[in-house]
Amino acid sequence: MAASLAVLSSLAGVAPAAPQPAGDADVDVRVNAQAALGTLSGAARGVNTAIWDAHMNDPEVADLMKAADVGVMRYPGGSYADIYHWETHTAPGGYVAPGTGFDAFMGTVRAAGAQPVLIANYGSGTPEEAAGWVRYANVTKNYGAKYWEIGNEIYGNGHYGSGWEHDDHEDKSPKEYARQVRAYASAMKAVDPTVKIGAVLTTPGEWPDGVVGPGDSGDWNHTVLPEVADVIDFVSVHWYAGGADTTAEDAMGKLAKLPGELREVRNQIDRAAGSGSSDIEIALTEINTNTGGARLTARPNGLFAADAFMTALENGVFTVDWWNTHNGAGQITTVDGETDYGDMGMLSSGACTGDVCQPAPNTPFHPYYGMKMTSELGTAGDTMVATESSAQDVSAHAVLRRDGRLSVMFINKNPDTARTVALDYAGFVPSGNAPEVSRYARGDGDITEVRDGEASASQVTVPPYALLTVTLDPQAGTGPGASKASTPGTPRVDAVTDTTAHLTWDGAPGASRYLVQERDGAHTRLIGESTGTSVTLRNLPPGSAHTVNVLAADSSGRISRPSSPLTFRTSTPADAACRVTYHRDTSWGNGFVTTVTVQNLSDTPITGWTVDWDWPTAGQSVSSGWSATFHQSGSHVRVTAPEDAGPLAPDGGSTASFGFVGANDGPNPDPTVSRLNGAVCAGG
């Protein structure tokens, strides 16, 4: 391996730490341009639109969305979708504003240069009605509407005890929803086989994730996904940081949970779809700090919007759709010296709460500028790459542009103090040119081009409560633009065991060899290389997760841009000398009860035992247990047999069981590997 690492160092042209100017930095940010997080799609930035919004199709809306590079507009508006009949443009029980019909909406979409995400009526509609909408949209009108969700938040139909979503079906279970999704998909694709069908999932770690309803054999996601994985093209999830009292500052802290929750969505798709998993995308079709009422239009929510869009996109989502374009005034507060109108919209609706009125309709609120700043960072076809910040109150996101430039966005969440950031690069050598700098800070009425020299390739000062994006030129003769090798295809796992994985990928013109790198945060290491388009990785730990990119080197050793990432997991040994079965008995969103059963499969008895595992995500813990002694340190759990426990018979002749009550703040996946007295066991 030492020789391989030497090859990578010589080929990659990894830049050393950038020289530091005289001023002292208080934050360190590392950018690794060889660690790709995925490619930005044309649908990356999106907004929700609603038929009760009288300003939905104002000409200013299309202009503003185009200026922010918005690629998706979702219609007809959240829960209204499940009472909306497209042909009559009616929503029994709800208000429909004039001028908000489907054709008018599509006029705005086209003027903005966007595409629609349409929600077929599940709650009071039929597959035939949805198929008729597809026919009108894509055959009669030739709109080319690609993405179609089946219903909105259908898990909120009362099946789990809370009901805000309209659903006329007598059977409101996830099993019935899955059956109906198949019927909708069949009817809609019979009209236009090119449409993409999306199923509604709960977000792991958010209610009602993990809750098993009466008469069900599993929770919503684990019931729906296996039944529809062969007919859907994407899944739709929503994310709000909390209820009406959640501030944007709270939300920015809670955003740390989102990557783990999205990873668990992907894990669930992988398990349900198998080899077809890569064909199913993830859409985050609603996001905001809270579910309405307070602190929504002020500057902190603009910081949250920028951070949330990029965090979601970096973690496998193809579109992030803000709730909402216009929403309406709510609780009036003062935040950062400005009036916050308690409005979940990006643009003012001109509404009033009491005698306090919003500015003129379509005046942008801070979240609009947060979203717009992400378009300064990157657009469709650009590659998101890994970053790492040493400070919790300074986030960083980076994009390797198609033209070889590197853009880095900094988010200073500190309301009182400017932060000075020292930049370090891997896989990118900046030129001596001054960077382009865009800023959104106090006193700025829009994204502002900065020319005062406060930023260089090695150090950047970010004002308090501000967004700052720098765009750097590569040193001549360096970077992917200097390589004759194109970008390799995303790697695929053809076979995996407990210690090996065989990967393949589509070749890159101009490549003479390929390098497989594993990513840990913003750091990478070479784990394989090949002159062909496949490699077998060996000596991997059982039950371990790995995220890898493939890079191509040309005949001169110059490196291409990295492929999109692949995450895979090794299995547990088929011939293990023990088995540990982890069974989730019940769960309720932020807690669960589990029974664990242990077997000795070796040919000798075991007297006295310990079982160890590591929680896959932060926020998982053991609260109390029985029939054993429990100890947790960080994410590691050790369970020790009671003193009076008898021996575990050989060849699986006896079992030992224990149970515990657990807690989770975020997603709650099962442990991937357990050990009995230090030996890796097979799973149950």
Side-chain angles (χ1 to χ4, degrees), residues 472-666:
L472 305 156
D473 294 325
Q475 188 179 99
T478 69
S483 177
K484 295 179 181 178
S486 300
T487 306
T490 305
R492 304 175 294 272
V493 176
D494 288 341
V496 65
T497 70
D498 57 325
T499 59
T500 67
H502 186 260
L503 310 183
T504 60
W505 55 88
D506 294 335
S512 62
R513 66 189 310 141
Y514 297 93
L515 311 171
V516 180
Q517 293 193 119
E518 180 170 17
R519 176 170 61 86
D520 180 10
H523 296 264
T524 53
R525 64 187 183 94
L526 183 69
I527 60 171
E529 56 182 294
S530 173
T531 56
T533 56
S534 66
V535 70
T536 298
L537 306 177
R538 304 184 187 280
N539 300 317
L540 304 173
S544 57
H546 305 269
T547 299
V548 298
N549 302 104
V550 179
L551 302 98
D554 66 15
S555 58
S556 299
R558 292 184 290 262
I559 301 297
S560 71
R561 76 175 55 233
S563 73
S564 292
L566 164 74
T567 297
F568 68 91
R569 185 177 296 279
T570 56
S571 63
T572 53
D575 58 350
C578 51
R579 181 182 303 279
V580 174
T581 303
Y582 183 100
H583 182 266
R584 190 86 53 81
D585 302 327
T586 186
S587 60
W588 51 91
N590 61 355
F592 56 103
V593 176
T594 290
T595 298
V596 180
T597 304
V598 184
Q599 284 182 292
N600 169 25
L601 304 180
S602 72
D603 57 6
T604 57
I606 295 176
T607 301
W609 50 263
T610 60
V611 173
D612 293 81
W613 69 77
D614 292 288
W615 293 117
T617 64
Q620 293 176 285
S621 62
V622 174
S623 301
S624 61
W626 52 91
S627 301
T629 301
F630 296 79
H631 176 73
Q632 180 165 337
S633 177
S635 63
H636 185 76
V637 177
R638 169 159 288 187
V639 184
T640 305
E643 292 183 1
D644 59 353
L648 284 170
D651 302 318
S654 65
T655 61
S657 295
F658 55 87
F660 64 90
V661 177
N664 59 291
D665 181 17

Side-chain angles (χ1 to χ4, degrees), residues 363-576:
T363 300
F365 293 132
H366 290 291
Y368 169 81
Y369 294 114
M371 177 181 68
K372 186 178 181 182
M373 181 60 92
T374 69
S375 69
E376 296 286 316
L377 180 65
T379 57
D382 293 339
T383 303
M384 298 171 286
V385 296
T387 63
E388 196 169 68
S389 172
S390 65
Q392 287 188 339
D393 61 355
V394 177
S395 294
H397 304 276
V399 168
L400 185 62
R401 303 290 195 118
R402 287 163 293 171
D403 61 9
R405 296 180 300 158
L406 180 72
S407 294
V408 188
M409 179 175 70
F410 306 93
I411 304 170
N412 182 2
K413 307 168 193 175
N414 191 311
D416 303 313
T417 306
R419 305 302 299 272
T420 300
V421 179
L423 281 161
D424 174 48
Y425 306 93
F428 182 81
V429 182
S431 74
N433 301 335
E436 298 176 9
V437 182
S438 299
R439 182 192 66 206
Y440 186 65
R442 292 178 178 126
D444 293 333
D446 201 339
I447 307 299
T448 302
E449 186 177 346
V450 179
R451 299 180 180 273
D452 57 10
E454 289 185 1
S456 69
S458 59
Q459 187 164 291
V460 176
T461 299
V462 189
Y465 256 19
L467 303 167
L468 196 78
T469 295
V470 299
T471 299
L472 305 156
D473 294 325
Q475 188 179 99
T478 69
S483 177
K484 295 179 181 178
S486 300
T487 306
T490 305
R492 304 175 294 272
V493 176
D494 288 341
V496 65
T497 70
D498 57 325
T499 59
T500 67
H502 186 260
L503 310 183
T504 60
W505 55 88
D506 294 335
S512 62
R513 66 189 310 141
Y514 297 93
L515 311 171
V516 180
Q517 293 193 119
E518 180 170 17
R519 176 170 61 86
D520 180 10
H523 296 264
T524 53
R525 64 187 183 94
L526 183 69
I527 60 171
E529 56 182 294
S530 173
T531 56
T533 56
S534 66
V535 70
T536 298
L537 306 177
R538 304 184 187 280
N539 300 317
L540 304 173
S544 57
H546 305 269
T547 299
V548 298
N549 302 104
V550 179
L551 302 98
D554 66 15
S555 58
S556 299
R558 292 184 290 262
I559 301 297
S560 71
R561 76 175 55 233
S563 73
S564 292
L566 164 74
T567 297
F568 68 91
R569 185 177 296 279
T570 56
S571 63
T572 53
D575 58 350

Side-chain angles (χ1 to χ4, degrees), residues 133-515:
W133 196 0
V134 173
R135 181 177 294 104
Y136 179 79
N138 291 355
V139 178
T140 304
K141 302 295 289 191
N142 198 31
Y143 287 143
K146 182 178 181 181
Y147 293 104
W148 298 77
E149 297 177 60
I150 311 303
N152 184 55
E153 296 169 351
I154 300 300
Y155 47 80
N157 60 9
H159 185 66
Y160 297 108
S162 182
W164 64 88
E165 200 74 17
H166 187 90
D167 185 358
D168 287 339
H169 296 89
E170 183 176 352
D171 183 352
K172 294 177 171 54
S173 69
K175 187 81 170 178
E176 176 64 10
Y177 175 71
R179 191 185 73 81
Q180 291 283 347
V181 166
R182 297 189 68 86
Y184 273 74
S186 176
M188 296 164 77
K189 290 194 174 189
V191 175
D192 182 355
T194 69
V195 297
K196 304 290 187 182
I197 301 297
V200 173
L201 295 187
T202 66
T203 302
E206 308 295 333
W207 187 93
D209 173 53
V211 178
V212 178
D216 296 340
S217 59
D219 66 6
W220 183 274
N221 288 7
H222 290 92
T223 301
V224 171
L225 266 174
E227 297 292 331
V228 304
D230 61 325
V231 299
I232 62 170
D233 305 283
F234 69 101
V235 299
S236 172
V237 294
H238 295 170
W239 196 86
Y240 295 90
D245 293 331
T246 300
T247 67
E249 292 89 341
D250 297 334
M252 285 188 280
K254 292 181 179 180
L255 197 58
K257 297 194 302 182
L258 184 58
E261 293 177 345
L262 292 173
R263 280 195 300 272
E264 182 57 16
V265 174
R266 175 50 61 189
N267 290 339
Q268 291 176 3
I269 295 171
D270 289 345
R271 290 192 291 268
S275 61
S277 173
S278 61
D279 296 328
I280 301 176
E281 298 182 284
I282 302 172
L284 186 56
T285 52
E286 289 185 23
I287 190 169
N288 208 313
T289 53
N290 64 60
T291 52
R295 295 170 290 277
L296 288 157
T297 66
R299 183 173 302 278
N301 211 21
L303 305 182
F304 169 83
D307 210 6
F309 269 87
M310 293 313 304
T311 297
L313 292 167
E314 290 165 351
N315 285 278
V317 168
F318 78 91
T319 184
V320 183
D321 307 333
W322 188 262
W323 183 272
N324 201 2
T325 303
H326 308 91
N327 208 72
Q331 180 182 350
I332 305 298
T333 57
T334 299
V335 179
D336 196 38
E338 299 178 304
T339 299
D340 188 296
Y341 298 97
D343 191 326
M344 299 178 76
M346 283 198 159
L347 308 178
S348 171
S349 62
C352 303
T353 296
D355 58 358
V356 178
C357 293
Q358 295 181 349
N362 299 313
T363 300
F365 293 132
H366 290 291
Y368 169 81
Y369 294 114
M371 177 181 68
K372 186 178 181 182
M373 181 60 92
T374 69
S375 69
E376 296 286 316
L377 180 65
T379 57
D382 293 339
T383 303
M384 298 171 286
V385 296
T387 63
E388 196 169 68
S389 172
S390 65
Q392 287 188 339
D393 61 355
V394 177
S395 294
H397 304 276
V399 168
L400 185 62
R401 303 290 195 118
R402 287 163 293 171
D403 61 9
R405 296 180 300 158
L406 180 72
S407 294
V408 188
M409 179 175 70
F410 306 93
I411 304 170
N412 182 2
K413 307 168 193 175
N414 191 311
D416 303 313
T417 306
R419 305 302 299 272
T420 300
V421 179
L423 281 161
D424 174 48
Y425 306 93
F428 182 81
V429 182
S431 74
N433 301 335
E436 298 176 9
V437 182
S438 299
R439 182 192 66 206
Y440 186 65
R442 292 178 178 126
D444 293 333
D446 201 339
I447 307 299
T448 302
E449 186 177 346
V450 179
R451 299 180 180 273
D452 57 10
E454 289 185 1
S456 69
S458 59
Q459 187 164 291
V460 176
T461 299
V462 189
Y465 256 19
L467 303 167
L468 196 78
T469 295
V470 299
T471 299
L472 305 156
D473 294 325
Q475 188 179 99
T478 69
S483 177
K484 295 179 181 178
S486 300
T487 306
T490 305
R492 304 175 294 272
V493 176
D494 288 341
V496 65
T497 70
D498 57 325
T499 59
T500 67
H502 186 260
L503 310 183
T504 60
W505 55 88
D506 294 335
S512 62
R513 66 189 310 141
Y514 297 93
L515 311 171

Side-chain angles (χ1 to χ4, degrees), residues 119-138:
I119 317 170
N121 183 344
Y122 176 86
S124 60
T126 64
E128 292 72 27
E129 181 182 27
W133 196 0
V134 173
R135 181 177 294 104
Y136 179 79
N138 291 355

